[in-house]
Amino acid sequence: MTQWKGLILAGGTGSRLFPVTKVVNKHLLPVYDKPMIYYPLSTLMLGGIRDFVLLCAPDSISQFQALLGDGSHWGITIEYVSQISPKGIADGFIQAENQLKDHNVALILGDNIFFGTGLPGQIKQAMSQEQGATIFGYEVTDTSQFGVVEVDETGKPVSIREKPKSSNSKLAVPGLYFYDSNVIDIAKKLSPSQRGELEISDLNRVYLADGELKLMSLGRGTAWLDGGTTSDLFEASQFIKTMENRTGMKIACLEEIAFRMNFVSRQQLTDLIDAEQNKNEYYAYVKDLIS
């Protein structure tokens, strides 16, 4: 059975969020009641992934370790890899080569937030494909800000364009990708783009040219948000707040996910909450879940 690892990209300078990112990595900023990094981590955990590699700037590793540790309290493993300077999304595979070698990889961008009841099933379906790559399509109104996939009359991907000024397709490619173990070798053969980066769209085009790129639609029942700008961060927080207040359920509560996915036992979760000695709303929610 194919072994999967999750690769979370949490690098970059967060310049669009300055000055709040002057002394803290943007992926540690709050999206309503949880750090941003909880959301991509929870997305892959819901798909059943338990082994993670987190890629970030060297001076951010200690911040992430203070928050996430090695992941063992959630029944997962988290390894940290430093990226001295961002060189594109596809470069993440090269930087984490030692940790990812011989594994299929689920890549998610650290500032992408997904929510939808059908998403875990779609992730598992993508992971059932042991060969090739799987990307998602999400319909947007303005394609000029995204990588865009064009499809034929059967829905099969035929081309990928990066931030086109105009396009016949409205399908943007979100920051959630699934690749077989050949992805590192493919990434190494890519040439830098005009902006000097190894582009994820170029990597996807290699799989497309080989006939090994699959496309799945996220559909209207799934929300895709990000926290790249102050407006994005505010809107994402508003969305999470609204959904949690109306349903009474937490989104991206790692303790709950670990428990429901059987990564930890009821006793392990009880011990974890008792050790925190915290009586705020978040931990009251988890304690209620246990009882």
Side-chain angles (χ1 to χ4, degrees), residues 84-160:
I84 297 176
S85 60
K87 297 179 181 178
I89 296 174
D91 181 60
F93 297 107
I94 300 173
Q95 298 300 318
E97 177 180 7
N98 291 338
Q99 290 76 21
L100 300 175
K101 187 177 180 181
D102 299 325
H103 288 78
N104 285 12
V105 183
L107 168 68
I108 189 168
L109 304 186
D111 61 358
N112 274 218
I113 299 166
F114 297 90
F115 175 75
T117 56
L119 186 60
Q122 288 187 299
I123 291 176
K124 292 174 183 176
Q125 184 179 347
M127 291 169 58
S128 70
Q129 307 290 335
E130 297 191 359
Q131 299 295 321
T134 300
I135 60 174
F136 288 99
Y138 191 91
E139 192 163 328
V140 297
T141 54
D142 181 10
T143 58
S144 65
Q145 301 300 312
F146 308 99
V148 177
V149 57
E150 297 182 345
V151 300
D152 62 17
E153 61 277 3
T154 67
K156 183 178 179 180
V158 294
S159 70
I160 298 174

Side-chain angles (χ1 to χ4, degrees), residues 18-250:
F18 184 86
V20 294
T21 51
K22 186 173 182 179
V23 296
V24 65
N25 185 290
K26 78 170 183 178
H27 304 90
L28 297 172
L29 296 176
V31 177
Y32 184 46
D33 56 351
K34 290 168 288 307
M36 186 190 300
I37 196 65
Y38 271 39
Y39 295 88
L41 185 57
S42 69
T43 296
L44 295 186
M45 285 175 64
L46 284 167
I49 293 179
R50 300 183 66 170
D51 296 312
F52 294 89
V53 178
L54 193 149
L55 187 68
C56 63
D59 59 359
S60 296
I61 289 181
S62 60
Q63 298 175 16
F64 283 107
Q65 288 176 326
L67 175 67
L68 306 174
D70 63 1
S72 59
H73 48 295
W74 295 312
I76 62 176
T77 64
I78 303 175
E79 299 177 89
Y80 299 90
V81 175
S82 64
Q83 185 182 38
I84 297 176
S85 60
K87 297 179 181 178
I89 296 174
D91 181 60
F93 297 107
I94 300 173
Q95 298 300 318
E97 177 180 7
N98 291 338
Q99 290 76 21
L100 300 175
K101 187 177 180 181
D102 299 325
H103 288 78
N104 285 12
V105 183
L107 168 68
I108 189 168
L109 304 186
D111 61 358
N112 274 218
I113 299 166
F114 297 90
F115 175 75
T117 56
L119 186 60
Q122 288 187 299
I123 291 176
K124 292 174 183 176
Q125 184 179 347
M127 291 169 58
S128 70
Q129 307 290 335
E130 297 191 359
Q131 299 295 321
T134 300
I135 60 174
F136 288 99
Y138 191 91
E139 192 163 328
V140 297
T141 54
D142 181 10
T143 58
S144 65
Q145 301 300 312
F146 308 99
V148 177
V149 57
E150 297 182 345
V151 300
D152 62 17
E153 61 277 3
T154 67
K156 183 178 179 180
V158 294
S159 70
I160 298 174
R161 300 170 61 195
E162 186 66 27
K163 298 181 179 179
K165 292 182 179 179
S166 63
S167 174
N168 293 326
S169 172
K170 293 293 185 181
L171 290 177
V173 181
L176 177 60
Y177 320 84
F178 298 83
Y179 300 100
D180 63 20
S181 58
N182 296 318
V183 67
I184 297 173
D185 291 335
I186 294 174
K188 287 181 176 180
K189 296 176 182 178
L190 296 178
S191 299
S193 65
Q194 290 184 344
R195 58 177 184 170
E197 296 187 355
L198 300 184
E199 305 288 355
I200 196 68
S201 290
D202 289 339
L203 187 147
N204 289 334
R205 288 191 194 99
V206 174
Y207 280 99
L208 178 62
D210 291 339
E212 293 190 335
L213 182 69
K214 301 173 184 66
L215 173 68
M216 297 175 62
S217 174
L218 283 180
R220 300 173 70 176
T222 299
W224 169 40
L225 310 164
D226 70 49
T229 68
T230 50
S231 294
D232 292 336
L233 196 61
F234 177 77
E235 290 171 2
S237 293
Q238 288 288 91
F239 175 82
I240 299 299
K241 179 179 185 296
T242 299
M243 294 302 297
E244 291 190 351
N245 287 351
R246 289 185 178 179
T247 65
M249 295 181 287
K250 294 289 184 187

